[in-house]
């Protein structure tokens, strides 16, 4: 799509370099996402320094738990559709120290976890998409709490929780967006107009998905009505984070980047040179965008301010 930048964006583009990927890398790592069901603030405190952490196993998703102030990283470990019970969730500190690589571990007899992908926090519960089941764990202890099977699901990919507590999950394989009514999944939207939804996030205006076959849509949480949103060109969009200025962050495998799409359709690059960047998160406390990759690195980079400046 054309990238007509309003003056403030052009100014930003000239005045500050997108967070370039310097090749460093601690021996450990991770980053966080975000658990707030509302759109994320784009202002706030100065952004924290970048972190780059390695040592994961097909790290697909990251979330910031703001209560504990820790980053949770979902590791598929192996085949994204393989029911091998070897997936795990890591806990990482905001300064990039891996506190516990296998905090929730499929290898644990009490835990079933095959290929964890998107996660969402609700109260004391951590929800995790795992192929055809949404699994619930204790947010503080990691203990398994509940399983919510999704009959017919092929590739559950991302989970989000609305302000009213409703849990949503995408199925990229079958092309379905589900809404849970209690523990029962109900189809909210499906079909060609939806595309193959990957990332999902929720704000007070409804549900937003980005599609693996390209495009972004807003979905009415009650009726399932679909409205196209501005989106980057190309296909293979993965994670999405809604921001409170009407823009959103999205990871694009085609662009090998994390992009910010403004309400007017203008697209900025937040982080370039990240092949296979998956389900991104945000640490609003530090104004840090969290980017996990299938290359097993977690990047944490500053979120540019809405006015175009970085700091
Ligand atoms: Ca696995
Ligand atoms: Ca994903």
């Amino acid at each position: 799509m054309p990238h007509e930048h309003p003056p403030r964006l052009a100014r930003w583009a000239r005045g500050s370099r997108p967070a370039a990927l310097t090749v460093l890398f601690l021996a450990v790592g991770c980053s966080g996402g975000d658990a707030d069901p509302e759109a994320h603030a784009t202002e706030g405190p100065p952004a924290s320094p970048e972190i780059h952490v390695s040592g994961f196993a097909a790290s697909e998703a990251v979330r910031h738990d703001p209560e504990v102030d820790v980053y949770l990283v979902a590791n598929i470990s192996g085949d994204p559709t393989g029911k091998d019970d070897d997936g795990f969730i890591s806990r990482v500190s905001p300064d990039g120290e891996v506190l516990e690589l296998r905090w929730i571990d499929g290898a644990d007899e009490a835990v079933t976890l095959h290929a964890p992908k998107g996660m969402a926090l609700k109260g004391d519960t951590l929800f995790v998409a795992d192929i055809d089941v949404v699994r619930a764990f204790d947010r503080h202890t990691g203990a398994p709490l509940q399983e919510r099977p999704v009959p017919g699901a092929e590739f559950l990919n991302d989970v989000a929780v609305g302000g009213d507590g409703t849990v949503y999950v995408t199925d990229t394989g079958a092309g379905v967006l589900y809404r849970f009514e209690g523990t029962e999944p109900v189809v909210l939207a499906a079909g060609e107009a939806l595309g193959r939804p990957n990332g999902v996030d929720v704000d007070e205006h409804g549900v937003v998905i980005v599609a693996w076959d390209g495009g972004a849509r807003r979905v009415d949480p009650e009726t399932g009505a679909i409205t196209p949103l501005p989106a980057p060109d190309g296909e293979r969009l993965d994670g999405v984070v809604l921001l409170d200025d009407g823009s959103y962050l999205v990871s694009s495998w085609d662009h090998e980047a994390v992009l910010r799409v403004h309400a007017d359709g203008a697209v900025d690059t937040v982080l370039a040179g990240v092949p296979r960047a998956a389900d991104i998160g945000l640490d609003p406390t530090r104004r840090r965008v969290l980017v996990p990759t299938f290359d097993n690195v977690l990047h944490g980079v500053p979120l540019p301010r809405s006015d175009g400046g970085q700091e």
Side-chain angles (χ1 to χ4, degrees):
M1 64 175 28
H3 298 178
E4 286 278 328
H5 291 230
R8 65 185 175 89
L9 296 175
R11 210 166 46 239
W12 174 66
R14 284 198 306 273
S16 68
R17 61 183 167 80
L21 251 207
T22 46
V23 190
L24 50 144
F25 300 132
L26 309 176
V28 283
C30 136
S31 95
D34 151 80
D36 189 336
E38 304 300 326
H40 302 295
T42 52
E43 303 307 327
S48 295
E50 295 185 12
I51 60 169
H52 305 273
V53 186
S54 59
F56 299 103
S59 37
E60 206 279 338
V62 59
R63 297 292 182 269
H64 178 229
D65 181 337
E67 283 187 19
V68 186
D69 197 23
V70 70
Y71 301 154
L72 304 177
V73 180
N75 294 262
I76 289 171
S77 186
D79 180 353
T81 59
K83 294 188 175 180
D84 48 21
D85 202 16
D86 69 349
F88 60 95
I89 308 241
S90 310
R91 291 173 80 241
V92 180
S93 76
D95 63 2
E97 179 189 359
V98 177
L99 302 171
E100 200 169 356
L101 184 64
R102 293 175 175 270
W103 176 54
I104 299 173
D105 188 357
D108 185 329
E109 266 191 25
V111 174
T112 300
L113 195 59
H114 300 303
K117 303 180 185 72
M119 299 172 284
L121 292 160
K122 174 185 175 183
D124 292 330
T125 302
L126 170 69
F127 291 100
V128 183
D130 188 13
I131 303 176
D132 56 2
V133 175
V134 175
R135 303 186 191 281
F137 298 92
D138 185 290
R139 173 185 196 155
H140 299 285
T141 68
L145 298 176
Q146 183 190 72
E147 297 181 352
R148 296 185 179 186
V150 181
E154 297 175 14
F155 197 104
L156 297 184
N157 205 326
D158 196 10
V159 190
V161 177
D164 64 355
T166 300
V167 178
Y168 302 87
V169 64
T170 57
D171 181 353
T172 311
V176 180
L177 172 65
Y178 291 95
R179 174 185 66 197
F180 278 95
E181 294 182 357
T183 58
E184 296 301 312
V186 174
V187 174
L188 177 59
E192 207 169 305
L194 184 68
R196 290 194 287 160
N198 190 333
V200 59
D201 199 2
V202 188
D203 65 12
E204 68 273 22
H205 303 297
V207 185
V208 169
I209 65 96
V210 295
W212 190 242
D213 44 4
R217 286 91 166 153
R218 187 173 284 283
V219 181
D220 187 292
E222 301 301 328
T223 67
I226 296 168
T227 308
L229 291 177
D233 56 12
E235 301 182 349
R236 300 194 297 171
L237 303 179
D238 201 318
V240 61
V241 173
L242 301 177
L243 301 173
D244 65 359
D245 67 348
S247 67
Y248 68 87
L249 302 171
V250 59
S251 51
S252 163
W253 289 41
D254 277 17
H255 290 268
E256 300 188 341
V258 175
L259 306 171
R260 183 176 188 169
V261 181
H262 295 265
D264 63 2
V267 178
D268 297 328
T269 300
V270 172
L271 181 64
V274 276
R276 308 200 293 169
D279 190 348
I280 54 176
L282 186 75
D283 173 355
T285 309
R286 297 173 183 80
R287 273 197 31 246
R288 179 187 273 167
V289 182
L290 304 166
V291 185
T293 77
F294 273 77
D295 297 329
N296 303 323
V297 179
L298 183 83
H299 306 283
V301 300
L303 172 67
R305 290 185 181 280
S306 295
D307 63 5
Q310 282 213 309
E311 293 312 331

